[in-house]
Amino acid sequence: MPSPEDLPRDGPKKLDPRRLRLGILRMPSGLHTFDAFSSPAFRFLFLAVSGAGGGYWIQQVVVGWLIYDVTESPFLTSVALGLEAVPLLIMGPFGGFLVDVFDRRKLLTGVYLYQGTLAITLAVGVILGYVGSGQIFAFLLLVGFSWVITEPARASLTANIVPEGGLINAYALSTLGWGVTRLVVPVLGGFLIDVLGGGPTLFLEALLFYVGAIFAFSVRVRGVCTARPKLSAVVPGLLDGARYVRDHRVVLALLIFGLTTPMLIFPFVTGLLPVYAAEVYHVGPRGLGLLMSISGVGMVIGTLVVASLGNIRYKGKLIVGSVVMAAISMAALSSTTSYVVGLVILAALNTIQPFLYTTIQGTVQSIIPDELRGRISGLSMVTWGAFPVGSIVAGLLAENLGVQMATLIGAGILAICLVALLRIFDFIWRLE
């Protein structure tokens, strides 16, 4: 069980759940699906995240198809789709520090504008015929630097807007925004690639990021008194965040459990979807778009369930169960060559992911004090910096053993890691 030192001391006060249900959306008693929408600021943040999510999924379809079309290499395709996570590994804590120093709303707005501008630059290069694998790799690295700030800013803003007891609901709804765009946008992206080509399709990505920037700028946060560190005190500030994680074993354990998704699930499934589309299912860009969109169906279902549960009691059991089900789904995906069956398995796998991601994120943010939220979120983003490591392993295995064997091996490694983590952090199973 978590020790008293792991519990929040000066975070937002808990509110009666009945008060949270007073808003534009009302649910039956006992359901908390849309609680966070009672906050106008959160509604704007939701729209901002959803717009940016649409831009991201357009990017995944276009860049995934372009890089495989140029290289015809499963290894390079997997590495490319994980490349944007490299800056998280190097700069994640510093990005979180900036989120604690500067206005989080303005940072998020600026980063979305930056991502949209990068998309326009790549679009022009593709149309003019100046883009090869090197330019795509450079683009993904530059995009990766934006995620260093985007996710800590979004997570911290959410915690500033929504009371502690509603954080899991709020993070689930944010994931829902990504899930809805993942449901619709990749299919549209695949269709546009077929009809217009990759370059013009990237202009839609830019537009969606600019829409996200407009809504992010509209977020208003009141009554947050944070002891902001000075920009010049970057080293002491980062050490404060690191010491906090070291001294609070629950936070440390949750951050380590968070490694499972970017290191062993996404690289061995999402990162290899272009290869599945080309080599296993033999479908074109429209088929790839549907593979990504059907994953959005599962994400929408999963986030709606998590949001409806409210402040989940048995958090540890939910986290462990989610990892177990993810490993089973990956093993199932590796055993079929049927496109239809693969779509069903992907939907099931992505139904599981919100349970794992939102529970970890909501629990961590409910524990840490506001003045450290950016830095702890930055450390959390370092776990996503493991994506390239997983991508390299997944790509090499897919190149030499086949894409389905790579996914099966990933499922086995995930199961072994879960057993090891439960032996080290046995209290996670009992976490409430």
Side-chain angles (χ1 to χ4, degrees):
M1 295 294 291
S3 63
E5 67 195 23
D6 291 316
L7 298 177
R9 296 178 179 176
D10 53 356
K13 295 181 180 179
K14 296 182 180 180
L15 296 182
D16 188 330
R18 290 173 296 181
R19 292 180 61 191
L20 291 176
R21 287 196 291 271
L22 297 177
I24 60 170
L25 295 171
R26 296 178 184 272
M27 297 298 294
S29 177
L31 288 181
H32 303 263
T33 311
F34 300 111
D35 282 356
F37 282 141
S38 62
S39 164
F42 180 79
R43 294 198 292 269
F44 279 118
L45 183 60
F46 173 84
L47 292 171
V49 171
S50 299
Y56 174 79
W57 292 118
I58 285 285
Q59 174 190 302
Q60 289 294 96
V61 175
V62 175
V63 172
W65 190 257
L66 283 176
I67 195 67
Y68 187 78
D69 187 54
V70 169
T71 66
E72 296 185 351
S73 167
F75 172 69
L76 291 177
T77 300
S78 177
V79 170
L81 291 180
L83 198 62
E84 63 187 278
V86 170
L88 296 174
L89 188 62
I90 303 170
M91 301 288 291
F94 180 69
F97 176 76
L98 293 178
V99 169
D100 282 338
V101 172
F102 295 108
D103 186 300
R104 294 162 179 173
R105 173 181 64 96
K106 293 179 181 178
L107 277 176
L108 191 61
T109 301
V111 169
Y112 285 162
L113 291 173
Y114 166 79
Q115 289 176 299
T117 304
L118 283 178
I120 289 178
T121 304
L122 183 63
V124 172
V126 171
I127 292 171
L128 296 178
Y130 293 142
V131 171
S133 58
Q135 286 79 12
I136 295 174
F137 288 165
F139 167 79
L140 290 170
L141 274 175
L142 291 172
V143 168
F145 283 104
S146 68
W147 294 117
V148 169
I149 293 176
T150 300
E151 287 306 293
R154 181 193 63 82
S156 301
L157 267 177
T158 303
N160 291 154
I161 293 167
V162 179
E164 178 188 320
L167 283 177
I168 290 181
N169 171 265
Y171 289 124
L173 289 175
S174 292
T175 306
L176 176 64
W178 274 70
V180 170
T181 55
R182 187 175 185 176
L183 175 63
V184 176
V185 172
V187 170
L188 176 61
F191 173 78
L192 291 176
I193 293 172
D194 250 358
V195 175
L196 302 176
T201 305
L202 286 168
F203 283 112
L204 176 59
E205 175 191 345
L207 175 63
L208 289 169
F209 272 115
Y210 288 149
V211 168
I214 292 171
F215 283 118
F217 191 73
S218 302
V219 174
R220 292 292 181 268
V221 183
R222 296 181 177 88
V224 177
C225 297
T226 301
R228 296 188 182 276
K230 294 182 178 180
L231 183 60
S232 58
V234 58
V235 174
L238 292 176
L239 289 176
D240 285 344
R243 280 192 289 266
Y244 184 91
V245 173
R246 180 198 64 190
D247 296 337
H248 294 75
R249 293 195 74 226
V250 170
V251 176
L252 175 63
L254 289 171
L255 294 182
I256 293 176
F257 265 86
L259 274 168
T260 56
T261 297
M263 192 167 187
L264 295 173
I265 300 176
F266 269 41
F268 287 86
V269 179
T270 305
L272 294 175
L273 283 184
V275 187
Y276 269 94
E279 296 186 0
V280 178
Y281 305 133
H282 305 291
V283 294
R286 296 191 191 191
L288 173 59
L290 184 56
L291 285 172
M292 291 188 173
S293 289
I294 202 67
S295 300
V297 173
M299 185 178 290
V300 169
I301 294 172
T303 50
L304 284 173
V305 173
V306 175
S308 299
L309 294 176
N311 190 25
I312 299 167
R313 180 178 179 185
Y314 299 107
K315 298 179 178 69
K317 293 178 176 61
L318 186 58
I319 291 169
V320 174
S322 299
V323 176
V324 171
M325 293 305 298
I328 292 172
S329 298
M330 290 171 64
L333 183 66
S334 71
S335 66
T336 181
T337 58
S338 168
Y339 183 60
V340 174
V341 175
L343 289 172
V344 173
I345 294 171
L346 283 171
L349 176 59
N350 283 274
T351 300
I352 297 163
Q353 292 305 298
F355 287 87
L356 178 63
Y357 176 71
T358 58
T359 303
I360 289 176
Q361 191 175 48
T363 304
V364 169
Q365 289 292 331
S366 69
I367 292 173
I368 58 180
D370 183 69
E371 62 268 20
L372 289 173
R373 281 203 167 101
R375 277 163 282 182
I376 304 303
S377 296
L379 289 172
S380 177
M381 291 310 297
V382 171
T383 63
W384 283 91
F387 199 160
V389 178
S391 294
I392 291 172
V393 175
L396 285 172
L397 290 172
E399 189 90 30
N400 293 284
L401 301 176
V403 64
Q404 290 187 291
M405 179 57 70
T407 302
L408 180 61
I409 292 173
I413 297 173
L414 179 61
I416 293 170
C417 288
L418 176 61
V419 172
L421 288 175
L422 285 175
R423 289 184 65 87
I424 298 170
F425 303 109
D426 58 340
F427 57 83
I428 284 293
W429 178 256
R430 303 186 301 273
L431 181 65
E432 295 186 359

